[in-house]
Amino acid sequence: MPLRLFLLPLLAPAIAALVLFLLLGWRLDALFVSLATLAGSLLTLWAARDALKRQLLSLARQVRTRAEGSPSTGSREDERDLLEEVANLQGAIDSLHQQLSARNAGLNQESRTLTAVLDGMAEGIWVTDAEGTVVRNNDALRDMLQTTGDIIGQRPLALLRNDALNEAVIRACREGASTRLELPLEGLFSRTLAIRVTPLGKDLPGSAAVFHDVTELRRLEKVRKDFVANVSHELRTPITAIRGYAETLQGGALQDAVMAPKMVDIIHRQSERLSELVEDLLELSRLESREVKLQVTDVPLAVSASRAAEVVRHKAQGKKITVELNVPPGLIGRGDERGLEQVLLNLLDNAVKYTPEGGRVVVTGALEEGRCVVHVRDTGVGIEPRHLARIFERFYRVDKGRSRDMGGTGLGLSIVKHLMSAMGGEVRVESQPNEGSTFTIFLPAAVPSATATG
């Protein structure tokens, strides 16, 4: 206990006596009485402190004596009373310590749980104080912002150079207003973040912001919009032709012995094109949704190449294009037989389609580094390097006008890519303008130890 708490009650009688005698006018007597009272108080204080000191020393000796195994020499009654008082004091201190320890442990556990929850979230989060300075964040936010520096202690403008976000944080802190916004981030990998800024609420100063990475979602939305636009455009062309010629025939051209057969032939070709487009769309949709169940078996690649070549042979002969097959009979790959034939058919059909009259298409196969490799080379018009990265996209055309004139749907190479991926393989392309193109497919080999040369 502090010394002043002992002095106050002891000095109070002396001060009271001094004031009383001063009021009564007995100044000298009052002084002596006050001094006497003060002296008595000090003697009482000294005696009390000395008695307490003796008791504590006695207790210490008794405790030390018991610890050493010697018999106690003090009064058992005095010892019991003193031990009881000290035990009560120690119990109160222990109880307070336990309460504080339990409270601190609960707070630490709460903090650790909150940190684990925040760091386990896919969304980025920061919390600011009333001035808009970040005081807490999670690991996901650091990944989104791609920063290695400290986020805590920074202002929004220092982390993201965006006035709209900074103003949203200020409004949340000062006005309690919530804001939603999207923030594009430029860099090596461009990203789009959807951000919701809200006040903390419940009389807590500051704000919180939740960051969602919607880059992939926005990309898929763009792909969907482009897909719908491309499908609509591709369907419009044959439908318009069929409707136009049908209306012409209904208007009287049906009786024209020269024009009527030509119009009917055009309607037939456009309907076939429409049917091919619908079939390719359905096939691509099934592949992307993984609805197609491929039967992976050992497939002789020479047989698959021969069947695909037989389908395009009539078209090749019409353009006087030579189709050569150099695939070893012993080259066996692991894949789906029907899917592999469709891959080779699409590649051969494209090769014949874009090869001028009198050209050549050569199919070769070999075993390279434990994988079956089939090359489809042509002497066609070739592809400029700037188009190669997008050649396998849906509806992507190097020459849109020429592709439509040749009857392509723009989905063949995309189907090839998805089929090869589903079979555990891949497809690549090499091409130069006016030097032809080479499409290469890679498949797991059925017999790794087998050798085949092309």
Side-chain angles (χ1 to χ4, degrees):
M1 182 179 291
L3 181 61
R4 61 177 178 274
L5 297 182
F6 286 103
L7 292 177
L8 288 177
L10 294 174
L11 294 177
I15 295 172
L18 178 62
V19 173
L20 179 61
F21 284 109
L22 286 176
L23 291 176
L24 295 176
W26 301 338
R27 291 187 173 83
L28 185 59
D29 294 339
L31 178 61
F32 285 121
V33 172
S34 300
L35 291 175
T37 305
L38 177 60
S41 299
L42 292 175
L43 289 173
T44 304
L45 173 62
W46 178 83
R49 293 185 61 184
D50 187 61
L52 179 60
K53 180 179 179 180
R54 286 197 303 272
Q55 287 180 338
L56 291 175
L57 290 174
S58 175
L59 178 62
R61 284 195 300 271
Q62 293 175 16
V63 171
R64 186 164 53 249
T65 300
R66 289 190 174 187
E68 294 173 355
S70 302
S72 176
T73 59
S75 169
R76 290 186 176 275
E77 185 177 352
D78 294 340
E79 180 184 345
R80 186 167 51 252
D81 292 341
L82 188 57
L83 286 174
E84 184 178 351
E85 292 178 6
V86 174
N88 290 336
L89 179 60
Q90 183 65 37
I93 294 175
D94 289 343
S95 177
L96 179 60
H97 175 71
Q98 290 174 1
Q99 292 177 12
L100 292 176
S101 297
R103 182 173 298 178
N104 287 336
L107 291 175
N108 288 336
Q109 181 62 32
E110 217 175 279
S111 176
R112 291 175 59 189
T113 301
L114 178 59
T115 300
V117 170
L118 291 177
D119 289 340
M121 296 176 63
E123 296 80 8
I125 294 177
W126 79 30
V127 179
T128 73
D129 59 17
E131 301 301 322
T133 302
V134 178
V135 295
R136 187 160 193 167
N137 68 279
N138 65 348
D139 292 341
L141 180 65
R142 187 180 301 278
D143 295 337
M144 286 184 184
L145 301 185
Q146 296 182 354
T147 178
T148 57
D150 290 333
I151 295 179
I152 294 177
Q154 300 289 335
R155 301 296 293 270
L157 274 178
L159 295 169
L160 295 167
R161 301 290 182 178
N162 186 270
D163 292 332
L165 176 59
N166 187 60
E167 292 172 1
V169 172
I170 293 175
R171 283 197 303 271
C173 293
R174 297 179 181 176
E175 306 171 12
S178 299
T179 307
R180 292 179 182 271
L181 66 155
E182 280 199 8
L183 178 62
L185 297 181
E186 302 297 334
L188 183 61
F189 300 102
S190 299
R191 286 160 295 127
T192 302
L193 301 180
I195 308 171
R196 185 170 187 262
V197 183
T198 60
L200 290 180
K202 295 184 179 180
D203 299 328
L204 294 175
S207 68
V210 181
F211 296 73
H212 299 266
D213 191 339
V214 294
T215 306
E216 182 64 14
L217 180 61
R218 295 295 176 261
R219 187 190 70 82
L220 292 176
E221 287 180 354
K222 184 178 184 303
V223 169
R224 179 183 59 81
K225 291 178 181 178
D226 293 344
F227 179 73
V228 171
N230 285 325
V231 168
S232 301
H233 186 78
E234 295 295 333
L235 291 174
R236 185 183 298 115
T237 302
I239 289 175
T240 300
I242 292 172
R243 176 183 295 174
Y245 284 110
E247 289 175 353
T248 302
L249 290 173
Q250 286 179 338
L254 189 59
Q255 307 302 325
D256 190 329
V258 177
M259 295 301 300
K262 294 181 180 179
M263 292 182 182
V264 171
D265 184 59
I266 292 175
I267 291 174
H268 181 261
R269 289 202 310 271
Q270 293 298 329
S271 66
E272 285 185 335
R273 178 182 175 185
L274 188 60
S275 177
E276 290 176 2
L277 178 60
V278 172
E279 288 296 327
D280 284 349
L281 285 172
L282 292 174
E283 180 71 14
L284 187 59
S285 176
R286 286 192 292 266
L287 288 170
E288 290 183 339
S289 62
R290 301 187 182 277
E291 292 180 3
V292 176
K293 303 298 182 182
L294 300 179
Q295 301 294 327
V296 178
T297 60
D298 294 348
V299 181
L301 299 183
V303 175
S304 297
S306 176
R307 291 174 179 173
E310 191 62 32
V311 176
V312 301
R313 195 172 301 279
H314 178 72
K315 184 187 294 186
Q317 290 175 348
K319 296 177 66 175
K320 298 180 180 179
I321 295 175
T322 303
V323 178
E324 298 180 10
L325 299 179
N326 298 316
V327 181
L331 188 62
I332 311 296
R334 293 286 296 172
D336 179 78
E337 185 175 4
R338 174 186 169 277
L340 192 54
E341 286 182 16
Q342 187 173 359
V343 165
L344 293 172
L345 175 59
N346 285 349
L347 294 180
L348 283 170
D349 186 64
N350 272 353
V352 172
K353 186 185 302 179
Y354 295 106
T355 298
E357 187 171 342
R360 294 176 62 218
V361 175
V362 181
V363 182
T364 60
L367 189 68
E368 300 177 5
E369 298 181 355
R371 291 195 298 178
C372 294
V373 181
V374 178
H375 305 277
V376 179
R377 298 184 177 90
D378 63 59
T379 58
V381 295
I383 305 169
E384 294 182 10
R386 62 189 177 93
H387 296 294
L388 295 178
R390 302 186 59 188
I391 198 69
F392 295 101
E393 292 181 13
R394 293 178 296 185
F395 294 113
Y396 187 81
R397 301 176 188 273
V398 175
D399 187 336
K400 297 181 179 180
R402 183 175 59 187
S403 297
R404 290 195 180 94
D405 291 341
M406 294 179 176
T409 64
L411 297 173
L413 291 179
S414 183
I415 292 174
V416 167
K417 179 181 177 180
H418 280 82
L419 279 172
M420 292 306 302
S421 177
M423 289 185 286
E426 62 176 316
V427 58
R428 301 175 188 172
V429 60
E430 298 177 359
S431 184
Q432 289 291 335
N434 302 317
E435 294 183 10
S437 304
T438 300
F439 285 83
T440 305
I441 62 173
F442 299 84
L443 271 178
V447 184
S449 60
T451 58
T453 57

